[in-house]
Amino acid sequence: ELKVEQNPLFLSMQEGKNYTIYCNYSTTSDRLYWYRQDPGKSLESLFVLLSNGAVKQEGRLMASLDTKARLSTLHITAAVHDLSATYFCAADDSGGGADGLTFGKGTHLIIQP
Amino acid sequence: ETGVTQTPRHLVMGMTNKKSLKCEQHLGHNAMYWYKQSAKKPLELMFVYSLEERVENNSVPSRFSPECPNSSHLFLHLHTLQPEDSALYLCASSHRTGREQYFGPGTRLTVT
């Protein structure tokens, strides 16, 4: 059974600082996803990481994937208040299969002025 | 309409009521999903449909009954719910199972 663990689950940081959210998964997975959720809203897709060593960047967010370590990271550079949200990582079983994605518990990020 | 839409956006129902949640995707996808998101709990996958056939049911109570009449529409029929069923119900779709999922805005359900 695929399990996905994120840490930290809660993060309060100041604007301008850098930080990293970690996502570990338990079994082989060939795709790793990052989503953002604002309070009371739905999930918005941020990144899809498809292979070992993949790195994607959008603005102040950068995501990477190490399939050998079964680890993905979401790095925040020079945080701004607008990035406050809950961030989820999700993985699927290798080869796709019939299952939906397995999500982590989410990281609740608060960025303070 | 574009993307994934859900109706209603908010629903309050009594424990003896019967209601249905509707999801429609305009992305040409072949797989659709229902998730439950409760406060302080991870997203729980409830049902997966691929090409209109149910492929996964994660031991969801029978008071939740899904229906997928075609690849664009997904329903979740609700009856005799419990207060602990109050949650945000999210619908998602993907090109096929195991691929990037696109989520609808959700239905906030309150069971009184």
Side-chain angles (χ1 to χ4, degrees):
Chain A
E1 179 188 356
L2 174 62
K3 293 185 179 180
V4 178
E5 292 188 1
Q6 285 180 240
N7 70 84
L9 298 182
F10 181 83
L11 177 59
S12 180
M13 56 191 293
Q14 288 185 316
E15 282 190 325
K17 299 292 187 181
N18 304 330
Y19 211 83
T20 301
I21 300 171
Y22 297 88
C23 175
N24 291 91
Y25 52 97
S26 60
T27 62
T28 302
S29 178
D30 58 359
R31 281 173 169 75
L32 196 292
Y33 305 83
W34 285 96
Y35 288 87
R36 167 181 173 153
Q37 186 178 36
D38 292 297
K41 301 290 182 64
S42 189
L43 275 74
E44 173 191 356
S45 179
L46 292 175
F47 300 108
V48 180
L49 303 169
L50 301 177
S51 61
N52 187 42
V55 176
K56 290 196 174 181
Q57 183 164 4
E58 180 72 33
R60 300 174 187 274
L61 300 178
M62 184 174 72
S64 65
L65 178 62
D66 181 344
T67 57
K68 295 180 180 178
R70 296 178 185 166
L71 170 69
S72 180
T73 61
L74 180 66
H75 186 73
I76 303 154
T77 302
V80 293
H81 177 69
D82 287 351
L83 291 178
S84 297
T86 300
Y87 292 86
F88 293 90
C89 65
D92 67 2
D93 287 329
S94 183
D99 298 333
L101 299 179
T102 300
F103 282 81
K105 291 183 178 180
T107 297
H108 184 48
L109 175 63
I110 295 177
I111 299 170
Q112 300 175 346
Chain B
E1 293 277 16
T2 59
V4 181
T5 59
Q6 289 184 244
T7 55
R9 295 293 307 278
H10 300 271
L11 178 61
V12 179
M13 60 186 289
M15 295 169 61
T16 58
N17 291 159
K18 291 184 179 181
K19 296 286 184 182
S20 296
L21 309 184
K22 179 183 177 182
C23 175
E24 184 173 0
Q25 59 96 0
H26 309 268
L27 301 168
H29 289 164
N30 292 315
M32 297 187 76
Y33 313 79
W34 281 115
Y35 287 89
K36 176 184 179 182
Q37 188 176 36
S38 306
K40 300 181 181 179
K41 291 181 73 174
L43 257 69
E44 300 174 68
L45 177 65
M46 300 177 72
F47 300 102
V48 179
Y49 276 84
S50 177
L51 296 172
E52 302 151 44
E53 289 191 10
R54 190 161 75 189
V55 296
E56 184 160 329
N57 174 355
N58 289 318
S59 302
V60 177
S62 60
R63 57 186 183 268
F64 295 92
S65 175
E67 177 189 2
C68 187
N70 55 62
S71 60
S72 298
H73 294 86
L74 185 65
F75 295 89
L76 187 62
H77 303 300
L78 317 170
H79 64 96
T80 59
L81 293 190
Q82 304 298 312
E84 60 263 30
D85 296 323
S86 299
L88 180 67
Y89 288 84
L90 292 165
C91 173
S93 71
S94 64
H95 180 63
R96 64 177 183 89
T97 54
R99 294 297 181 259
E100 183 181 13
Q101 294 180 16
Y102 295 81
F103 284 80
T107 295
R108 174 68 63 185
L109 173 66
T110 303
V111 181
T112 61

